[in-house]
Amino acid sequence: MNTIFGAIPILFRHPAIYGLSRITSSLYLSNGTAANNKLLLFASQITTVINVSVEVVSTFYPNIRYVHIPITDTPVSRLSDFFDLVADRIHSVDLQQGRTLLHCAAGVSRSAALCLAYLMKYHAMSLSNAHAWVKSCRPIIRPNHGFWQQLIQYEYKLFGTNTVRMVNSPLGLIPDVYENEVRLMVAF
Ligand SMILES: *[C@@H]1O[C@H](CO)[C@@H](O)[C@H](O)[C@H]1NC(C)=O
Ligand SMILES: *[C@@H]1O[C@H](CO)[C@@H](O)[C@H](O)[C@H]1NC(C)=O
């Protein structure tokens, strides 16, 4: 067996060195640098790359489809305008046995928020469970508070109920899933 490619499955399964975070069998999340890494795209058999950023396109690889969602990472950006479009696209790629990589610049806010919307719509997960799951796959996720508000509205639209709410904190308005950690931060 070719030693380099033989080593990939073990090397890339480790979360700490695995550039693309695996969210479902057909959805991965990463930062912009990893999204341009041919070896990582190849190793995870990515067929569609969804780029949620506004910077200038750098690399395109043949046989991969590219989708561009031009959104900045600010609380007032209307990411929710793209919740259905992106979730539907990830779902259709999945139905065609493909795999989607969703990325923004850091793989922390924009792309993570879109993952949460997808998991709610197509995996019937509550927002709270979707967040717990994605965070377990990629501990650095942290959608901005405007995106949280949009996700909370989306959860209500889908399920008629909410599992996350915005609360006041010493750091301003935060989703209640961050309450514990903010309490600890303030304590130190
Ligand atoms: C992007 O992700 C790769 C792979 O996980 C990592 O090695 C790199 O440090 C990250 N870059 C930034 C700027 O976060
Ligand atoms: C994402 O899209 C932006 C805007 O078109 C582009 O500048 C950037 O290079 C793309 N990033 C990646 C990692 O492909």
Side-chain angles (χ1 to χ4, degrees):
M1 186 193 276
N2 177 313
T3 46
I4 295 172
F5 293 110
I8 286 173
I10 296 159
L11 179 66
F12 288 84
R13 206 175 294 142
H14 194 288
I17 53 171
Y18 188 12
L20 313 184
S21 306
R22 185 179 185 271
I23 309 299
T24 70
S25 57
S26 67
L27 177 62
Y28 292 72
L29 181 56
S30 81
N31 68 24
T33 311
N36 273 315
N37 184 316
K38 192 178 188 172
L39 190 57
L40 291 177
L41 296 172
F42 172 79
S44 294
Q45 299 172 277
I46 301 300
T47 59
T48 294
V49 171
I50 303 181
N51 176 356
V52 196
S53 74
V54 287
E55 301 86 350
V56 186
V57 176
S58 34
T59 331
F60 285 122
Y61 296 110
N63 304 323
I64 292 186
R65 294 178 174 203
Y66 287 85
V67 178
H68 184 214
I69 307 289
I71 280 279
T72 54
D73 184 17
T74 64
V76 294
S77 288
R78 295 192 44 90
L79 190 65
S80 56
D81 288 350
F82 300 95
F83 284 174
D84 283 313
L85 185 145
V86 169
D88 295 354
R89 183 61 182 257
I90 295 167
H91 181 62
S92 82
V93 169
D94 176 63
L95 292 178
Q96 294 159 38
Q97 330 288 331
R99 290 185 181 175
T100 301
L101 171 65
L102 196 47
H103 79 84
C104 47
V108 167
S109 180
R110 291 167 285 195
S111 54
L114 288 169
C115 269
L116 299 180
Y118 164 74
L119 290 175
M120 285 194 279
K121 181 165 185 179
Y122 283 105
H123 290 268
M125 291 177 97
S126 67
L127 179 52
S128 157
N129 284 346
H131 174 256
W133 175 250
V134 176
K135 197 166 169 66
S136 75
C137 304
R138 186 170 177 86
I140 60 174
I141 67 153
R142 200 175 181 88
N144 75 46
H145 72 85
F147 294 166
W148 271 107
Q149 283 164 322
Q150 295 168 37
L151 287 163
I152 287 169
Q153 282 170 13
Y154 192 61
E155 181 181 39
Y156 193 82
K157 187 182 128 195
L158 290 173
F159 307 121
T161 180
N162 281 121
T163 56
V164 178
R165 65 199 169 90
M166 300 304 289
V167 294
N168 282 310
S169 83
L171 302 182
L173 207 53
I174 55 164
D176 59 2
V177 293
Y178 295 163
E179 255 180 326
N180 250 341
E181 121 193 5
V182 167
R183 224 187 328 265
L184 291 171
M185 259 159 73
V186 171
F188 289 104

